[in-house]
Amino acid sequence: MSAEPNGTDRNDDVRPVVIVGSGPAGLTAAIYTARANLQPLLVEGEPSSTSDQPGGQLMLTTEVENFPGFPDGIMGPELMASFRQQAMRFGTDIRTEKVTRVDLSSRPFGVWVGDPEAPEPTYRGQALIVATGASSLMLGIEAERRLLGHGLSTCATCDGFFFRDQDICVVGGGDSALEEAMFLTRFARSVTVIHRRKELRASKIMQDRAFANEKLSFLWDSVVDDIVGETTVEGVVVRDVQTGEVTTKPYTGVFVAIGHRPNTDLFRGQLDLKDNGYLITAADTSRTSVEGVFACGDVQDDWYRQAITAAGSGCMAAIDAERWLEAQGH
């Protein structure tokens, strides 16, 4: 699939680059394209949107200790505020709006905010960088809002260090859940995997490794009904789905590992997706299936899912877009 140039512009304000999304990937792309004098427009999303949070998932994270350059750690929102200020310093035009529709069938590409049925796009760009990220699937209980980043996490690699010598749990039953659980055994005193069925969904080799780990135990046929604690996790209310029995377990950390959902709804039918919904990019590049559209960060990364790798891929997308625009004569 490729988009052909359009002979006439539907409005006079056609940007060289439009960036959708403002996590580490989108803001890094903005920094690089702005420094290349491409006057990027970045649509960062709206704070009220759980799947379109300005600043990405780091806005829901407390202390970040594994981002290079901050030996004493930094709060997630503070880190993203610095990203944003740096992008603006070089001239990025940031709009706090939610993209509701895109048209990738012709160039310049159309980007709508507000009414997706409006006859004309709100913005148009010769190149488009997609950095809409992914959202962690959650349990859907009220305590998650209160305790995310305070004993409740969705990333063992990010937060496992904070749970040294504690008894913690991982909710899930797939490969990702077991990977998280085994990683956490490096720090925690014990790790319990809570799974709603009697059998795991994970691959056989992952199950074998998990069952052989002495620090790992399993709570079968169980679901989390609630998490106890006002300012930090103090316990987990678990219900046996077979008997209905409810017990409170004294876990001081909860890792939710029931999957991620890439924020790709805007692009379905227009860009090629993997079976799991993530955007497909050409090997070792940020190029998507539409010429002139580039993707970076968690929207196309279903493996690493780290802030530093997202930022790196944002740099790649910016350079790819710059070189592509130059080749097009822009």
Side-chain angles (χ1 to χ4, degrees):
M1 187 193 306
S2 63
E4 297 300 327
N6 199 341
T8 59
D9 297 339
R10 284 182 281 178
N11 62 47
D12 295 329
D13 188 18
V14 178
R15 309 297 181 101
V17 178
V18 174
I19 302 168
V20 182
S22 62
L27 287 168
T28 300
I31 291 167
Y32 274 79
T33 51
R35 293 187 74 252
N37 294 322
L38 293 177
Q39 298 89 43
L41 167 70
L42 185 147
V43 187
E44 67 173 349
E46 294 178 337
S48 60
S49 174
T50 56
S51 64
D52 198 23
Q53 170 76 33
Q57 294 188 70
L58 281 188
M59 296 300 289
L60 306 174
T61 303
T62 50
E63 192 163 9
V64 179
E65 289 197 326
N66 57 2
F67 200 92
F70 300 93
D72 297 322
I74 185 172
M75 300 298 283
E78 182 184 355
L79 178 61
M80 295 321 302
S82 296
F83 270 67
R84 195 176 191 274
Q85 291 166 7
Q86 191 171 359
M88 293 178 67
R89 173 191 169 197
F90 295 114
T92 301
D93 182 0
I94 297 180
R95 306 292 177 93
T96 307
E97 301 168 315
K98 180 178 175 62
V99 173
T100 55
R101 176 186 165 197
V102 295
D103 181 2
L104 308 182
S105 62
S106 62
R107 294 196 302 267
F109 302 116
V111 177
W112 279 254
V113 300
D115 182 7
E117 302 301 324
E120 299 294 332
T122 314
Y123 310 113
R124 291 170 68 77
Q126 296 291 353
L128 182 71
I129 295 178
V130 179
T132 48
S135 303
S136 298
L137 298 179
M138 302 300 287
L139 302 174
I141 57 180
E142 188 278 331
E144 288 176 316
R145 286 183 177 274
R146 183 175 72 251
L147 295 172
L148 188 61
H150 300 277
L152 173 67
S153 175
T154 59
C155 179
T157 309
C158 311
D159 299 329
F161 179 83
F162 299 112
F163 293 86
R164 286 190 178 278
D165 300 320
Q166 296 185 38
D167 298 312
I168 63 178
C169 66
V170 173
V171 184
D175 279 353
S176 294
L178 293 192
E179 286 174 8
E180 300 260 292
M182 286 188 287
F183 178 82
L184 290 167
T185 61
R186 302 179 188 182
F187 309 99
R189 180 168 51 231
S190 70
V191 180
T192 301
V193 175
I194 301 175
H195 187 47
R196 64 169 57 244
R197 299 181 181 87
K198 285 187 183 298
E199 297 179 350
L200 297 167
R201 294 179 288 107
S203 59
K204 182 64 165 58
I205 189 169
M206 288 298 296
Q207 292 191 45
D208 290 343
R209 291 173 182 170
F211 293 144
N213 192 313
E214 294 181 353
K215 281 191 172 184
L216 270 182
S217 60
F218 294 83
L219 204 53
W220 306 107
D221 289 327
S222 298
V223 294
V224 174
D225 276 355
D226 200 4
I227 302 172
V228 180
E230 286 301 317
T231 59
T232 188
V233 172
E234 299 173 1
V236 177
V237 179
V238 178
R239 174 169 50 87
D240 186 308
V241 296
Q242 297 293 331
T243 66
E245 181 184 3
V246 175
T247 56
T248 300
K249 305 292 185 180
Y251 306 130
T252 54
V254 181
F255 286 78
V256 179
I258 56 177
H260 290 78
R261 184 181 185 277
N263 300 322
T264 52
D265 288 351
L266 281 171
F267 311 102
R268 289 187 180 277
Q270 300 193 70
L271 294 176
D272 289 351
L273 307 177
K274 299 179 183 179
D275 291 342
N276 60 5
Y278 286 77
L279 288 179
I280 295 174
T281 51
D284 301 321
T285 80
S286 64
R287 297 195 305 269
T288 69
S289 55
V290 170
E291 186 179 349
V293 179
F294 307 88
C296 53
D298 287 6
V299 74
Q300 54 84 46
D301 173 18
D302 59 355
W303 184 254
Y304 297 105
R305 294 198 294 261
Q306 299 296 304
I308 188 64
T309 51
S313 69
C315 169
M316 292 171 59
I319 293 173
D320 287 345
E322 178 188 357
R323 292 176 178 172
W324 179 81
L325 284 166
E326 185 177 5
Q328 299 295 310
H330 296 296

